[in-house]
Amino acid sequence: MASIEKRGKYWSVRYVVKDELGNIIGQKRKSGFATKNDAMAAAKDLERATAAGVDVHGDQMTCGEIMEKWFWAKVDTIEKTSLSRYSEDIDTLKTRPVYNTRISALKEGSLKSIISDLVETRHISMQTAKSYTAPLRYALRWAARKGYIARYPFDGDQLPKVQPRPQVIISEEDIADLIAECKKSNPAFLTPLYLALYGGMCREECAGLKWTAVNDKSVTVSEVITATTNNKHLVKQPKTRTRARTITLPQFVMDHLHSLPKVSDYVCVSSWGRPYAVHTLNGALRCIVYRVNNARAAEGKPPMQRPTFHDLRHTHAAMLIAMGIQPKVISERLGHSSIKITMDVYGYLMPGLQEQVADALNDKWAAGQVGK
């Protein structure tokens, strides 16, 4: 039987260790549990694990060993696209000291050091470095729940906060210049440009759009292409039910789509006739913006802001708001799971809605329809 006791600030568990024949060969202790309930729950897990012959004294395992243990324990419960991404992240961590670091050596501040090491050695952004540590964080939480380790070692750590990039909403003049330059220098890019600007589709949706999803007046988002941190392409379903949607497009966009040669199963193909890779859409847009700004500089005009491909989706939402389209319709068109998300993201573009309500109520009062 396992027993628990409080040792200083934390609770500890003493449990028996058995050999393969079930004979008691000794006792071990695990400490560091914050509450009595945590210790009691761990005691039950430890008893079950030792009865099954599992080595539960996992603090002496390396981070690499616990990640591999977690990965194979979850291989049948996590979708393949996520597993592929986690596998690549673990391979990346194999090249860093953390992979061979014992779990017992982890302490408060270790997570920040691991992320900083990735940023400095791989020359990547803080956001990307955080994503690389996902399997380590998930594996350690899993190990703590299973009782392999006393507690999650990063409890006192907070992931570095990354300031979100401000939205770039481009003007009608910018849109006109982008389209004109696109037709001139990279006509193939006109397709994803139209889908983002006039359909609100993100780059994963554009890259995953197949001809079988193109109808007479609309396109259906039923498949997306995402990429791992190493730019390996993964085909998957939209991440939420509402992201799988049908988008009615302007007639000029549909005319453009129907005029395209079907050189691939995918709609958005480069000038080489190959489907656009997700990570290349931003690069293609940057090239067009660069050309637009060179032309403007030659004419003595101020440059346009440099949008990302996702900013085209933001611009689409801004156009709908300026046209007075109801937020609920905008939410459905963008595939948001709730109108709250739409208002949180784009509410700052709707300052005139309150004034419209006040003016409408005032008109009704003046007409004798309210409060009389």
Side-chain angles (χ1 to χ4, degrees):
M1 287 288 294
S3 61
I4 64 173
E5 62 179 318
K6 192 169 186 179
R7 295 169 62 89
K9 183 179 178 182
Y10 294 102
W11 289 81
S12 66
V13 177
R14 185 187 295 275
Y15 60 98
V16 297
V17 181
K18 299 180 181 180
D19 62 17
E20 295 179 353
L21 299 177
N23 300 313
I24 296 176
I25 59 175
Q27 291 187 336
K28 285 188 177 181
R29 181 190 299 277
K30 294 191 76 173
S31 60
F33 300 100
T35 67
K36 183 178 181 180
N37 286 339
D38 289 342
M40 291 176 65
K44 292 179 181 178
D45 288 339
L46 289 168
E47 285 182 335
R48 286 194 294 266
T50 52
V54 176
D55 178 12
V56 297
H57 211 65
D59 286 355
Q60 297 307 306
M61 296 175 68
T62 65
C63 291
E65 288 172 334
I66 201 67
M67 283 191 289
E68 300 289 352
K69 194 177 186 72
W70 165 79
F71 182 87
W72 291 109
K74 294 294 185 179
V75 73
D76 293 326
T77 59
I78 299 177
E79 66 175 19
K80 292 180 180 179
T81 52
S82 296
L83 277 177
S84 176
R85 183 170 63 252
Y86 295 148
S87 178
E88 289 190 355
D89 292 343
I90 292 173
D91 286 344
T92 297
L93 293 177
K94 280 182 181 178
T95 66
R96 307 310 312 148
V98 62
Y99 190 82
N100 295 312
T101 299
R102 291 189 184 278
I103 296 172
S104 58
L106 298 176
K107 56 184 182 300
E108 188 173 338
S110 293
L111 182 58
K112 184 178 180 180
S113 298
I114 294 167
I115 292 174
S116 297
D117 172 68
L118 286 167
V119 170
E120 293 170 7
T121 58
R122 295 185 62 88
H123 307 291
I124 55 179
S125 69
M126 185 73 71
Q127 185 63 45
T128 302
K130 284 167 60 176
S131 71
Y132 278 132
T133 67
L136 174 61
R137 291 181 279 113
Y138 296 158
L140 290 172
R141 287 193 185 279
W142 170 81
R145 288 196 302 270
K146 289 291 185 180
Y148 298 147
I149 58 178
R151 64 184 187 278
Y152 179 61
F154 298 146
D155 257 341
D157 286 350
Q158 288 188 347
L159 284 170
K161 291 185 178 180
V162 179
Q163 290 296 327
R165 179 182 176 274
Q167 295 175 7
V168 174
I169 308 296
I170 60 177
S171 66
E172 292 184 9
E173 181 184 2
D174 294 334
I175 293 172
D177 285 350
L178 277 181
I179 292 174
E181 181 57 42
C182 189
K183 289 179 177 179
K184 177 182 175 183
S185 62
N186 188 1
F189 188 71
L190 192 60
T191 303
L193 183 64
Y194 274 167
L195 292 173
L197 278 173
Y198 299 106
M201 293 172 62
C202 66
R203 58 179 184 163
E204 292 82 3
E205 293 167 347
C206 290
L209 183 65
K210 290 184 175 180
W211 283 111
T212 52
V214 178
N215 307 306
D216 290 338
K217 295 184 178 181
S218 62
V219 297
T220 300
V221 176
S222 57
E223 202 172 76
V224 299
I225 291 181
T226 187
T228 66
T229 46
N230 291 327
N231 289 327
K232 178 181 177 182
H233 286 185
L234 300 170
V235 180
K236 60 186 294 186
Q237 300 298 312
K239 60 183 178 181
T240 63
R241 179 181 57 82
T242 52
R243 289 302 286 265
R245 63 199 189 281
T246 297
I247 304 170
T248 303
L249 294 169
Q251 189 59 49
F252 73 90
V253 176
M254 295 308 306
D255 290 342
H256 168 77
L257 293 180
H258 291 309
S259 71
L260 296 173
K262 296 179 176 60
V263 296
S264 167
D265 290 339
Y266 292 94
V267 176
C268 297
V269 296
S270 68
S271 56
W272 299 95
R274 298 177 189 148
Y276 266 109
V278 177
H279 65 280
T280 61
L281 288 171
N282 270 329
L285 178 61
R286 279 197 300 270
C287 288
I288 294 173
V289 172
Y290 177 78
R291 291 174 181 272
V292 167
N293 282 338
N294 278 348
R296 288 187 176 186
E299 298 173 3
K301 295 181 179 179
M304 68 176 289
Q305 296 184 76
R306 293 177 180 152
T308 64
F309 194 86
H310 201 74
D311 286 326
L312 303 180
R313 174 176 162 91
H314 294 322
T315 299
H316 175 71
M319 286 194 290
L320 298 185
I321 292 169
M323 292 163 57
I325 305 300
Q326 292 299 314
K328 176 64 175 174
V329 177
I330 299 174
S331 178
E332 292 172 352
R333 191 170 180 84
L334 296 177
H336 289 163
S337 57
S338 73
I339 193 172
K340 181 180 183 302
I341 295 175
T342 310
M343 297 304 295
D344 287 345
V345 176
Y346 301 112
Y348 76 98
L349 295 172
M350 307 177 188
L353 292 183
Q354 291 287 354
E355 286 78 0
Q356 291 178 24
V357 171
D359 290 343
L361 291 173
N362 191 66
D363 292 343
K364 282 186 174 293
W365 175 273
Q369 298 179 35
V370 176
K372 295 183 181 180

